[in-house]
Amino acid sequence: MTGRRTATRSTMPADDAKLVAATWAGSRLLLAAILAAIVVSGHGLRAALGNWDVRHFITISRHWYADPLEMAFFPGLPAVMAGGARIGLAPEITGAVLALVCSGVAAAALYRIGGTVPTCLWLIAPTAVFTTVGYTEAPFCAAAFWAWERARAGRWWQAAGLAALACTFRVSGLFLVGALAVMAVVGDGQWRDGRGRDGRTRKARAPKRGLRAGVERIAPLLLPALVLVAYVVYLHGLTGSWTAWFQAQDRGWGRGFTTPQESLANTLPATRTDTWRATYGADAGIVAMLFKLEIVSMLVGVATTVYCLVRRRWASAAWVGVQVIAFSIGHWFMSVNRAVLLWFPLFIALAELTRGPGRPVGLKLLWRGIVAVLVLADLAVMGWWGWLFFTGRWAS
């Protein structure tokens, strides 16, 4: 047992909030440097920050849901952008500032849940650019991660309030409510204590048994569920349809219901350069590459779900697994690369699986060298993904 603890200490840094803060600052500065280079080369700042879905959020912030297709997006972020406009801030800037702040808030929650390494891995994820611009990933993760942390601490009303906030940003709030319900009933198995400094795995607080205790944990989750219901009712009032959100997804992004086999079959042609040559010209190869990565992200999601099931982390398995299922039945695999940012159990699993040897010294140094190379490669991919987004190329 002593040797095992020594090995863990020697390869995993002690929980260090300063390292997390430095990683947050360093990763944001790297993306800011890429943004600055692009702006200097002739792109406007607002243009670089305002690509793809940011345009949809800006449209909603200005005209609300005048276009039925915009109903595919939840109102939380557009409402914040509209508030920024009232004080003279451009919506692209409001979105970027919100993302920067919320990425730090999300990192603080993940640090409490899983410790230093998972948090740093999340901050330098390949698609981290989406936590620095006007997308919903950062504000959603900030609310959702803290909801998870509060639920693990047994503060269910606090968790419900945070989950309700998360539900205003994206439909993933539905999956969050479901996963929290699983936690309320059966818990979330074995976790490393994110605030401990000894690296040992401790059993998370087991939920109290009994009908009354279960109801006391489940009942607060009606609050975020009501937020989702309220959005559906609101859209019904605008359109007369109870399925307005699904219709917008289908008509705007082709996300109708299919089987996983059909979704994979629909995605495979998108991984070929020739499929996109007429639309994207010289960038066709980039689009094809990103759709290949969508399949990789799906496989990562499946692997993470299985890992959590093996470790009996039932709520974590539900959180990732239900998203994987949702992406697998939506015509094709799209936006999964960004959804990986929501899968915090993945980053905890990576930290656990890559601890490496504690001795002898030679193997330990070799492992550290390998990790350093992998981190540099990851940062290069993160920078490349930022370049794609800031220059208006397809970025998933």
Side-chain angles (χ1 to χ4, degrees):
M1 290 298 292
T2 302
R4 184 176 180 180
R5 286 198 298 269
T6 301
T8 301
R9 286 174 182 158
S10 63
T11 56
M12 295 281 287
D15 287 312
D16 186 353
K18 292 182 179 179
L19 178 58
V20 170
T23 304
W24 176 86
S27 58
R28 309 306 101 165
L29 285 173
L30 173 59
L31 290 168
I34 294 170
L35 172 62
I38 291 170
V39 171
V40 169
S41 69
H43 288 73
L45 175 62
R46 291 176 59 184
L49 291 174
N51 289 308
W52 300 107
D53 286 359
V54 179
R55 305 311 309 171
H56 292 286
F57 293 122
I58 292 174
T59 298
I60 299 169
S61 73
R62 290 172 175 167
H63 309 292
W64 211 234
Y65 291 110
D67 183 352
L69 289 184
E70 303 294 0
M71 294 176 185
F73 299 92
F74 277 54
L77 179 54
V80 175
M81 288 180 169
R86 289 182 176 274
I87 59 174
L89 288 178
E92 298 90 344
I93 303 301
T94 299
V97 172
L98 178 68
L100 287 171
V101 173
C102 287
S103 65
V105 174
L110 185 51
Y111 173 71
R112 289 177 64 89
I113 294 171
T116 301
V117 176
T119 309
C120 292
L121 290 176
W122 181 79
L123 287 167
I124 62 171
T127 53
V129 64
F130 293 104
T131 64
T132 66
V133 295
Y135 269 61
T136 58
E137 276 73 11
F140 179 85
C141 285
F145 291 3
W146 274 107
W148 200 274
E149 191 279 337
R150 290 290 78 199
R152 280 174 43 82
R155 302 293 189 266
W156 285 95
W157 279 107
Q158 294 176 20
L162 289 160
L165 177 60
C167 287
T168 67
F169 288 104
R170 53 190 293 146
V171 73
S172 308
L174 175 63
F175 311 138
L176 175 64
V177 174
L180 289 174
V182 172
M183 186 190 299
V185 175
V186 296
D188 202 28
Q190 298 282 342
W191 282 86
R192 178 174 176 269
D193 183 351
R195 286 166 290 175
R197 302 187 68 85
D198 57 8
R200 284 181 284 182
T201 299
R202 306 175 191 173
K203 193 167 186 178
R205 181 184 301 176
K208 294 180 181 179
R209 301 297 180 183
L211 179 60
R212 179 177 178 180
V215 170
E216 288 177 349
R217 292 190 296 270
I218 291 288
L221 298 180
L222 290 174
L223 178 61
L226 286 174
V227 172
L228 295 170
V229 171
Y231 185 56
V232 172
V233 172
Y234 176 72
L235 294 184
H236 177 268
L238 291 178
T239 65
S241 172
W242 291 108
T243 59
W245 183 85
F246 292 101
Q247 292 172 6
Q249 286 283 333
D250 186 24
R251 294 171 184 171
W253 290 265
R255 286 178 169 171
F257 286 112
T258 55
T259 66
Q261 294 88 339
E262 290 171 334
S263 294
L264 177 59
N266 292 334
T267 305
L268 289 175
T271 65
R272 295 194 288 268
T273 300
D274 289 343
T275 302
W276 304 104
R277 200 175 301 281
T279 305
Y280 289 97
D283 289 339
I286 293 175
V287 180
M289 172 63 71
L290 289 177
F291 272 98
K292 292 175 184 176
L293 293 176
E294 300 279 11
I295 296 176
V296 172
S297 294
M298 286 292 289
L299 294 174
V300 168
V302 172
T304 302
T305 303
V306 172
Y307 179 85
C308 291
L309 288 173
V310 170
R311 300 298 292 267
R312 299 184 178 183
R313 296 173 182 170
W314 311 121
S316 295
W319 170 235
V320 179
V322 71
Q323 293 181 65
V324 171
I325 292 172
F327 280 116
S328 73
I329 60 174
H331 181 73
W332 59 353
F333 304 157
M334 187 172 68
S335 303
V336 192
N337 294 327
R338 287 191 284 117
V340 170
L341 292 166
L342 279 57
W343 300 347
F344 67 88
L346 163 64
F347 300 98
I348 293 175
L350 288 174
E352 293 173 340
L353 292 172
T354 57
R355 285 177 178 154
R359 57 179 68 178
V361 174
L363 282 179
K364 184 169 66 174
L365 292 176
L366 175 62
W367 179 249
R368 288 181 176 177
I370 293 172
V371 169
V373 171
L374 291 175
V375 168
L376 289 174
D378 174 81
L379 290 173
V381 174
M382 185 184 78
W384 172 73
W385 223 303
W387 172 78
L388 290 179
F389 181 86
F390 294 138
T391 56
R393 291 172 169 83
W394 179 254
S396 186

